Amino acid sequence: MTHPLRALLFALLFMPLLSWAATTIDAVRYWPASDYSRLTMESSKPLSYKLFTLSNPERLVIDLENVEPSAAMQELAGKIGPGDPWIAGLRAGMNRPGVMRLVLDLRGEVKPTVFSLKPAGEYGNRLVLDVYPAKPQEDAISALSTGQATDSKPETKTEAAKDLPPKGAAVKPDVTAQASDAPKPDRYIRLEKPGKKPQFQVTRLITVVIDPGHGGEDPGAHGANGTEEKNVTLEIAKRVKAKIDALENTRAVLTRDSDYFIPLAERVNKARRVNADLFVSIHADAFIRPDARGSSVFMLSEHGASSAAARWLAKNENDADMVGGVNVGVKDKNLARTLIDLSQTATNDDSRRLGNAVLGEISDINRLHKGHIEQAGFAVLKAPDIPSILVETAFISNPEEEKRLNDDAYQDKMASAIVAGIKKYFASNPATIRAKLALSACVILPNSYPDWLLELRATT
């Protein structure tokens, strides 16, 4: 037998074995959350798999083909914690030659999705398993959108409603909210007068959606000392929420409250589901030069970025879906509607007013990267009917500012400045507050505004 023929025969005989041995799981990451739990397996080559479910008890099974055991797979079982609302446990082992089997013990019926991602950012090929509940859970977003959220703060006044018209014009009651947005009885009060039909006073509930940038698989920008943007933004966002919740008849909703990934479009959808008055996305800037520094405020631009740096930043932020992992095979039926008519002049003008108010407050605690609002095509700012801004709290790529971003005092000052800017915006633009509550079988009295807004309005 000639040498070339022997080489060909060897290749044909051992090619399957070599192919099987070449694929290993290099890293496994696990992100439990109230919305859904995510399991990500990373490898140098795309993974082939089969997914099926078993009942009594409920289990989810994934067979990974041509995969050999690895240290990452051996550590996988220990990653599942008792706090996961959907996955109770996980086992992994060789089911048969060349097939690694993962068995997820479930806490109930789930709706799993599996998809592959090509290399992006610092990641190689990924196989992503998202475990959603079979039936949507009632979360803070859903509760607020249906008026069923509870709160220990009083939401009504016992005196007659105060009317606060904008300068030079009267404000007409907005009664366009759907009946499904009607609140529980503790959200309105009965005003009795002898011989007259009972009336109800509806108190406006101001809702501000706070969006901590990045999360889960998507860490965002990195500081020189290892700080991840996703952690900084969440800490500041929680502080902003606490300060807003402390205001009368005002509530903040976080798009995420822990470390997990949310697609950009879903962040916008969450804000629209609660009929938000404002949307504020919080980030920590990064640039190719470590000496870049300062805070910034951005609004949406449809006609190009206001600077080369703004264009670079918007591209990086918009790439979050590729890094975090979005199943492109699923078409969001609300996305097309969400992105319709982005050029609404009124919304853009309100975004600019809001941005100017927040920028003015931030200038008191940190130098500004630019002394004016910058504009770029940020996907997360594309709600056509909600004034939206993106706040870059500092440059995480600057070692000095990275240190400040990890400082509790700075985080609190930044949160206070953002809230002060929001309050100042509403004081100058009270008519932009949407009526969240409507009752079809009652008489709506003149608009009622929170005391903090009345007081601030009187001084401006």
Side-chain angles (χ1 to χ4, degrees):
M1 186 180 294
T2 63
H3 178 71
L5 187 57
R6 286 201 304 269
L8 177 60
L9 181 60
F10 178 85
L12 292 175
L13 288 174
F14 291 97
M15 184 67 72
L17 180 59
L18 293 174
S19 175
W20 169 79
T23 306
T24 59
I25 305 297
D26 300 320
V28 177
R29 291 175 293 276
Y30 164 66
W31 312 101
S34 56
D35 287 11
Y36 71 102
S37 292
R38 168 169 287 193
L39 187 67
T40 303
M41 291 165 281
E42 184 176 354
S43 60
S44 59
K45 296 181 179 180
L47 296 173
S48 298
Y49 66 91
K50 292 181 181 179
L51 174 71
F52 58 95
T53 58
L54 299 173
S55 300
N56 300 318
E58 298 293 331
R59 286 156 292 165
L60 187 62
V61 181
I62 305 177
D63 282 346
L64 302 173
E65 301 176 356
N66 297 332
V67 171
E68 65 179 359
S70 65
M73 295 301 293
Q74 292 175 359
E75 298 171 359
L76 180 57
K79 292 181 178 290
I80 307 298
D84 191 307
W86 321 118
I87 305 173
L90 184 147
R91 291 162 281 144
M94 297 304 297
N95 177 258
R96 56 190 181 274
V99 176
M100 171 74 70
R101 172 166 289 187
L102 275 65
V103 180
L104 284 73
D105 298 313
L106 306 173
R107 300 188 187 278
E109 290 189 54
V110 299
K111 181 181 178 182
T113 61
V114 183
F115 55 96
S116 299
L117 294 172
K118 295 180 179 180
E122 300 176 355
Y123 298 130
N125 291 279
R126 286 173 288 171
L127 183 66
V128 180
L129 169 65
D130 287 343
V131 180
Y132 291 89
K135 296 180 181 179
Q137 302 295 302
E138 183 74 12
D139 58 10
I141 295 288
S142 302
L144 276 175
S145 66
T146 57
Q148 294 177 354
T150 58
D151 192 2
S152 59
K153 298 189 302 180
E155 300 258 348
T156 58
K157 298 187 178 74
T158 55
E159 60 184 26
K162 297 179 181 179
D163 188 23
L164 181 64
K167 296 177 181 179
V171 178
K172 296 182 180 180
D174 184 351
V175 293
T176 59
Q178 298 297 317
S180 62
D181 291 329
K184 284 185 174 181
D186 66 342
R187 295 292 178 83
Y188 54 88
I189 61 174
R190 186 186 301 272
L191 301 179
E192 304 275 2
K193 286 189 178 182
K196 290 193 175 183
K197 186 178 180 179
Q199 295 179 333
F200 293 93
Q201 172 190 334
V202 176
T203 301
R204 284 181 177 273
L205 178 65
I206 301 173
T207 300
V208 180
V209 170
I210 307 299
D211 173 47
H214 307 282
E217 278 284 285
D218 173 25
H222 293 268
N225 295 313
T227 304
E228 292 184 330
E229 181 181 3
K230 66 176 182 178
N231 298 325
V232 170
T233 60
L234 182 59
E235 289 303 314
I236 295 176
K238 287 181 176 179
R239 294 175 186 269
V240 173
K241 173 176 168 55
K243 294 176 185 296
I244 291 178
D245 285 346
L247 300 174
E248 178 195 13
N249 297 331
T250 309
R251 185 162 312 171
V253 178
L254 296 176
T255 56
R256 67 178 179 95
D257 57 7
S258 60
D259 186 16
Y260 64 99
F261 173 74
I262 302 176
L264 297 175
E266 178 59 17
R267 296 170 190 261
V268 177
N269 288 341
K270 284 192 172 191
R272 301 194 78 207
R273 287 204 298 272
V274 297
N275 198 25
D277 292 290
L278 300 178
F279 180 90
V280 179
S281 190
I282 298 177
H283 291 256
D285 229 335
F287 198 54
I288 53 178
R289 289 169 38 197
D291 59 334
R293 61 185 301 160
S295 301
S296 305
V297 176
F298 289 83
M299 62 174 286
L300 179 68
S301 171
E302 306 167 57
H303 307 294
S306 56
S307 67
R311 186 182 305 109
W312 183 88
L313 177 63
K315 181 185 183 303
N316 279 3
E317 299 295 0
N318 292 343
D319 284 347
D321 276 355
M322 290 191 298
V323 177
V326 172
N327 187 359
V328 295
V330 176
K331 301 301 181 183
D332 186 347
K333 65 181 180 180
N334 295 318
L335 180 57
R337 177 170 55 85
T338 301
L339 302 182
I340 289 175
D341 194 13
L342 302 181
S343 61
Q344 289 189 5
T345 303
T347 300
N348 287 343
D349 286 348
D350 285 332
S351 297
R352 182 175 287 103
R353 295 188 189 102
L354 171 62
N356 281 324
V358 172
L359 192 69
E361 297 295 328
I362 290 178
S363 66
D364 292 336
I365 67 165
N366 193 27
R367 65 174 291 179
L368 299 179
H369 184 64
K370 297 283 186 180
H372 55 81
I373 296 178
E374 295 198 74
Q375 293 182 260
F378 291 94
V380 78
L381 301 182
K382 291 185 176 181
D385 50 356
I386 304 173
S388 304
I389 61 171
L390 186 146
V391 178
E392 294 286 359
T393 53
F395 274 87
I396 199 171
S397 54
N398 181 303
E400 181 182 341
E401 294 206 333
E402 177 189 7
K403 184 177 179 180
R404 298 189 72 189
L405 286 168
N406 283 300
D407 181 66
D408 288 344
Y410 180 79
Q411 289 182 3
D412 199 65
K413 288 179 181 178
M414 179 59 65
S416 295
I418 292 172
V419 174
I422 291 172
K423 291 170 64 176
K424 182 176 290 186
Y425 164 78
F426 278 131
S428 301
N429 305 275
T432 61
I433 303 174
R434 300 177 178 186
K436 298 296 185 303
L437 314 176
L439 301 174
S440 59
C442 70
V443 177
I444 305 289
L445 296 182
N447 295 323
S448 177
Y449 294 88
D451 285 339
W452 65 262
L453 183 54
L454 291 166
E455 295 169 1
L456 188 57
R457 174 70 170 171
T459 61
T460 57

